[in-house]
Amino acid sequence: MAMRRRLMTLSATILAIGLAATTVLAVKPEGNRATRENGRVIYERSCLFCHGAEGKGDGPAGWFIGRYEAPHPRDFTSEGFKLRSTESGSLPTDQDLFRTVTRGIPGYMPSFAGLTETERWQVIAYVKSFNPAFQTETPAPLLLGGPAPLASPTSIETGRALYVRFECQACHGIDGRGDGPVSEAGDLKDASGLRIFATDLTRPLSFKNGSSPQDLVRTLMTGLDGTPMPSYAAQLTGKEDEAWYLAQYLLSLSSGSFP
Amino acid sequence: MPLTSLAGETGATLVGRVVFRGTVPPPEVVTVTRDPKTCGETRTIQPLVVHPSTRGIQNAVVSIEGENTSPNTDTTKTTAITNTQCAFSPHVEAIRVGTPLEVRSHDPVLHNTHIMTGKRTFLNVALVPGGHPVAKVIKMPGLYHVQCDAHVFMQGSVVAFDHPYYAVTEAQGDFRIVGVPAGRHQVTVWHETLGALHHEVTVPAQGDVSITIEFP
């Protein structure tokens, strides 16, 4: 566990650097053969080591990541995606993939903000070619509607009440430390049947899907596919304020320790 | 052989029973650690439900292989899975591609209905007490596994077909598929623990055909 924590802190730094570079978007190259071919070259240099030559998540890194330890690098050919703006079970949008590649995944995948934006789009076009579903499905982002209300003691208190009413504590624990009874019992599994843990919500820099209020609302609306973290969209649609209050409460859990 | 007619309009009716002659393994008894008021103190898990007198197997899915991929025109139909007393009702559901699958809960506790096909999530939604049901159209034929991560003993299955020739066996092991076109067909039976079995059948233009399919 201590080892895992250290890893996370290290990549949190990478994440912070990654974020700075995401603001301007270069013109996205067309998703044609030349783009994919350029993407393949980048993939083989930067991604193959973990995700494998055929995108099956079985690159040489697996030799020391540990066969039974989650998460495995994503298998692009058959698995869904955790980090999306789309409804549960949908593929991610291109923007979602761009965000993932740019930011990386704290603790598990480095940020690729060092690639130019064009290179990132190219590698994304190549990654998408591993799964034919990208040809037939048209993922659409969920609308997160409405501006964020200001955080106040009342909004945070409302967020806490929602946390309890939505039984987040079953998995994340009443204090959000990731020690809910279902997680402690070892009942949580990912899409490969490997044991995973509910996130410690007091450590926002470890969040894979980001930790701004917008990021948290997105996580709550979409859920993380391939994990037990469910979508709360049906319970929050039309009640955007509640989603923001919940996000504000989550951020308040770390306001003491968070720089 | 392509199946061209729509079920219910013309053709024969295939009736039958799926039976099990072997020894039924003892059920698994699970101690409930969460929400015992709603879920009970223990759960008896027996996926192989065999009727004591007919030996019929409940919850087997019977289907006829076909190439009828004619689109599902009945858009009014919804198939629902209800979370009730910490179980999925029905435990096994068969559905036609193009039909919305609705998940809902009657329980006063949090469930998440998490449906996977292979390693890909089809749907994973939180159902809070008094909250809204969620519906999503099934677009791909195949086997969907249903679970609740908050109560791991809750398991179920949905099998989706791109044709109308399927049925789920009832308590005595009986099934009935209407509108089957004449000809030789391959009947497939699937059960969650027994696996799949195939059976040839010749169907006349009209009338009933009766078959008994035996596991193992």
Side-chain angles (χ1 to χ4, degrees):
Chain A
M1 200 65 191
M3 172 68 187
R4 223 169 110 209
R5 291 259 157 83
R6 227 173 308 131
L7 243 170
M8 284 182 165
T9 324
L10 172 69
S11 35
T13 324
I14 301 174
L15 172 75
I17 299 164
L19 280 178
T22 58
T23 34
V24 243
L25 297 184
V27 180
K28 182 178 155 193
E30 235 179 283
N32 57 23
R33 248 190 56 210
T35 305
R36 283 193 295 277
E37 184 50 30
N38 287 324
R40 186 183 61 77
V41 174
I42 300 162
Y43 181 88
E44 290 181 351
R45 200 175 61 221
S46 306
C47 324
L48 180 148
F49 182 68
C50 293
H51 290 283
E54 282 150 23
K56 293 195 176 133
D58 57 356
W63 298 334
F64 49 87
I65 288 177
R67 195 177 293 269
Y68 301 108
E69 213 164 317
H72 282 175
R74 185 69 61 258
D75 171 353
F76 297 126
T77 65
S78 69
E79 291 179 344
F81 290 79
K82 294 183 182 178
L83 314 177
R84 311 171 332 277
S85 59
T86 59
E87 73 174 19
S88 177
S90 298
L91 293 172
T93 64
D94 289 1
Q95 287 293 342
D96 291 334
L97 293 168
F98 189 88
R99 195 175 56 246
T100 299
V101 173
T102 304
R103 293 181 174 182
I105 303 176
Y108 302 105
M109 172 171 136
S111 153
F112 288 94
L115 296 174
T116 67
E117 291 184 9
T118 307
E119 288 170 327
R120 277 175 259 162
W121 287 121
Q122 287 166 339
V123 78
I124 286 165
Y126 184 65
V127 162
K128 286 169 66 183
S129 72
F130 287 122
N131 187 342
F134 277 106
Q135 303 289 311
T136 54
E137 297 177 26
T138 40
L142 291 170
L143 295 176
L144 301 182
L150 283 181
S152 69
T154 341
S155 74
I156 289 171
E157 184 47 35
T158 311
R160 197 196 62 81
L162 286 164
Y163 183 91
V164 173
R165 186 157 77 77
F166 288 167
E167 291 192 53
C168 311
Q169 68 273 20
C171 297
H172 292 284
I174 195 68
D175 300 320
R177 297 195 170 277
D179 55 358
V182 179
S183 191
E184 296 279 280
D187 286 350
L188 300 177
K189 303 277 161 64
D190 74 2
S192 306
L194 299 171
R195 179 172 179 186
I196 64 170
F197 301 85
T199 308
D200 179 346
L201 300 175
T202 68
R203 301 175 54 80
L205 288 180
S206 74
F207 292 177
K208 297 171 179 173
N209 212 4
S211 58
S212 71
Q214 285 76 5
D215 291 331
L216 293 173
V217 168
R218 190 176 62 244
T219 297
L220 296 171
M221 295 291 282
T222 62
L224 302 186
D225 284 0
T227 85
M229 174 66 200
S231 156
Y232 280 84
Q235 319 308 329
L236 290 169
T237 301
K239 300 182 195 160
E240 282 74 12
D241 277 0
E242 295 197 347
W244 292 115
Y245 297 152
L246 203 40
Q248 289 166 355
Y249 170 66
L250 295 182
L251 289 173
S252 77
L253 292 172
S254 55
S255 48
S257 59
F258 188 50
Chain B
M1 133 129 225
L3 300 170
T4 43
S5 75
L6 277 178
E9 287 175 355
T10 54
T13 300
L14 181 68
V15 293
R17 179 173 286 163
V18 180
V19 296
F20 183 75
R21 299 278 176 216
T23 315
V24 179
E28 191 191 343
V29 179
V30 185
T31 308
V32 174
T33 51
R34 262 189 80 67
D35 306 318
K37 269 203 200 121
T38 307
C39 304
E41 301 284 340
T42 61
R43 302 293 295 206
T44 306
I45 311 287
Q46 177 53 280
L48 180 56
V49 182
V50 176
H51 192 272
S53 52
T54 67
R55 302 296 298 168
I57 304 173
Q58 190 180 5
N59 285 332
V61 181
V62 184
S63 62
I64 301 177
E65 305 284 297
E67 290 162 33
N68 181 336
T69 47
S70 65
N72 182 3
T73 46
D74 182 2
T75 51
T76 56
K77 201 169 170 249
T78 297
T79 299
I81 298 179
T82 305
N83 291 248
T84 175
Q85 294 175 316
C86 304
F88 295 116
S89 171
H91 175 65
V92 174
E93 183 66 278
I95 191 171
R96 177 102 186 254
V97 165
T99 310
L101 178 66
E102 184 178 290
V103 299
R104 54 189 179 210
S105 174
H106 292 164
D107 286 346
V109 299
L110 172 83
H111 290 302
N112 71 310
T113 299
H114 187 169
I115 307 178
M116 305 276 298
T117 171
K119 283 192 190 176
R120 191 166 165 196
T121 301
F122 169 73
L123 189 71
N124 177 11
V125 290
L127 298 173
V128 306
H132 300 283
V134 180
K136 186 174 174 189
V137 175
I138 293 224
K139 293 198 177 130
M140 295 289 286
L143 176 60
Y144 293 74
H145 181 251
V146 187
Q147 66 189 46
C148 171
D149 300 291
H151 306 93
V152 276
F153 51 84
M154 291 176 68
Q155 306 275 340
S157 307
V158 174
V159 191
F161 296 98
D162 54 7
H163 59 72
Y165 309 108
Y166 57 81
V168 183
T169 56
E170 302 184 347
Q172 310 209 320
D174 296 341
F175 66 88
R176 176 184 178 85
I177 301 174
V178 298
V180 183
R184 275 180 84 75
H185 298 298
Q186 164 121 292
V187 176
T188 299
V189 185
W190 173 87
H191 180 271
E192 63 177 290
T193 58
L194 300 174
L197 201 76
H198 303 288
H199 191 95
E200 286 272 317
V201 64
T202 303
V203 172
Q206 290 289 316
D208 284 6
V209 196
S210 176
I211 58 172
T212 300
I213 303 174
E214 272 188 38
F215 270 102

